[in-house]
């Protein structure tokens, strides 16, 4: 990859509850990423992916059509920014389900986090997700954007109040994602990443 090539950044909205702050937070990050010259940005909302919540234990069976439809978008990504709320000190079930449906799509790619919650700001969910993505052969970065007491950021008519107090955190997150995305893209191009999981049938 040349330094002038643009990276594909997927911002994945993990929470699937009504009235979500996560979608506003994802668009907030996407707006900043689109101002840069190094990223092409896709925002993927899991509420529109319709991934099934029951998996087969047989990897030889074809994946459901909804899973296959989303796969190319994840496979083409050079980096991920995962937006998550914290539910009972963990991540949303919809997000964990999405991670578990895929294997090679995550491999040897950097993952950053935008999280939100009450006093903890969603950081407990991020701690859990770091373990999950490590087992998915992804590389999580330490830079994180955390919105504490996120309900205070809703203005009249449900508008997101952008006070710019997390601007530096967003810059640090995107800078680090870009660095690792370029490095890992070159590494995968030089030597394909191999993994121990059996390949799933696609048809």
């Amino acid at each position: 990859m040349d330094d002038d090539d643009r990276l594909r950044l997927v911002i994945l909205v993990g929470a699937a509850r009504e009235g979500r702050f996560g979608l506003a937070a994802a668009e907030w990050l996407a707006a900043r990423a689109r101002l840069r010259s190094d990223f092409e940005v896709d925002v993927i909302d899991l509420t529109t992916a319709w991934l099934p919540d029951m998996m087969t234990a047989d990897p030889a069976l074809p994946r459901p059509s909804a899973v296959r439809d989303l796969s190319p978008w994840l496979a083409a990504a050079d980096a991920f920014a995962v937006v998550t709320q914290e539910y009972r000190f963990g991540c949303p079930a919809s997000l964990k389900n999405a991670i578990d449906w895929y294997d090679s799509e995550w491999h040897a790619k950097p993952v950053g986090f935008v999280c939100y919650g009450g006093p903890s700001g969603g950081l407990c969910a991020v701690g859990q997700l770091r373990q999950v993505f490590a087992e998915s052969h992804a590389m999580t970065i330490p830079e994180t954007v955390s919105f504490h007491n996120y309900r205070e950021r809703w203005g009249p008519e449900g508008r997101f109040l952008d006070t710019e107090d997390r601007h530096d955190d967003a810059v640090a997150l995107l800078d680090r994602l870009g660095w690792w995305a370029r490095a890992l893209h070159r590494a995968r191009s030089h030597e394909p990443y191999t993994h121990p999981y059996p390949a799933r049938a696609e048809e």
Side-chain angles (χ1 to χ4, degrees):
M1 168 176 282
D2 296 330
D3 290 338
D4 293 335
D5 288 344
R6 289 166 65 84
L7 303 161
R8 296 189 65 86
L9 171 65
V10 165
I11 300 176
L12 190 65
V13 185
R17 292 190 176 185
E18 292 184 3
R20 297 165 298 151
F21 178 77
L23 195 55
E27 293 295 348
W28 172 86
L29 182 67
R32 279 151 180 75
R34 288 173 179 138
L35 293 174
R36 300 166 62 106
S37 61
D38 52 347
F39 286 119
E40 292 183 4
V41 182
D42 292 312
V43 177
I44 296 177
D45 185 354
L46 288 180
T47 63
T48 64
W50 302 108
L51 298 176
D53 57 9
M54 182 171 290
M55 300 181 183
T56 176
D58 186 353
L61 291 177
R63 293 191 287 187
S65 59
V67 177
R68 297 199 306 270
D69 289 345
L70 182 56
S71 177
W73 294 88
L74 302 181
D78 295 298
F80 298 97
V82 175
V83 181
T84 183
Q85 188 173 2
E86 179 180 310
Y87 297 144
R88 298 177 180 174
F89 296 99
C91 68
S94 56
L95 178 54
K96 181 61 165 63
N97 180 57
I99 296 169
D100 289 346
W101 266 117
Y102 299 98
D103 293 317
S104 61
E105 290 85 351
W106 310 118
H107 291 170
K109 296 178 182 179
V111 180
F113 299 99
V114 176
C115 58
Y116 58 100
S120 69
L123 293 172
C124 293
V126 170
Q128 181 187 69
L129 286 167
R130 291 190 189 281
Q131 299 179 37
V132 173
F133 275 109
E135 286 299 310
S136 302
H137 293 236
M139 210 288 307
T140 62
I141 65 169
E143 288 79 6
T144 301
V145 179
S146 174
F147 291 101
H148 299 261
N149 299 317
Y150 72 95
R151 290 185 177 86
E152 299 174 0
R153 295 181 178 274
W154 287 119
E157 300 179 355
R159 291 186 297 106
F160 175 44
L161 299 177
D162 181 5
T163 60
E164 292 292 332
D165 60 336
R166 293 293 178 268
H167 174 75
D168 290 345
D169 293 341
V171 171
L173 172 73
L174 294 170
D175 283 349
R176 191 69 71 193
L177 278 174
W179 192 95
W180 276 107
R182 284 186 290 272
L184 291 173
H185 184 100
R186 293 189 185 104
R188 293 193 309 272
S189 298
H190 176 71
E191 181 180 354
Y193 189 86
T194 59
H195 58 88
Y197 305 126
R200 287 183 178 272
E202 295 297 330
E203 301 296 339

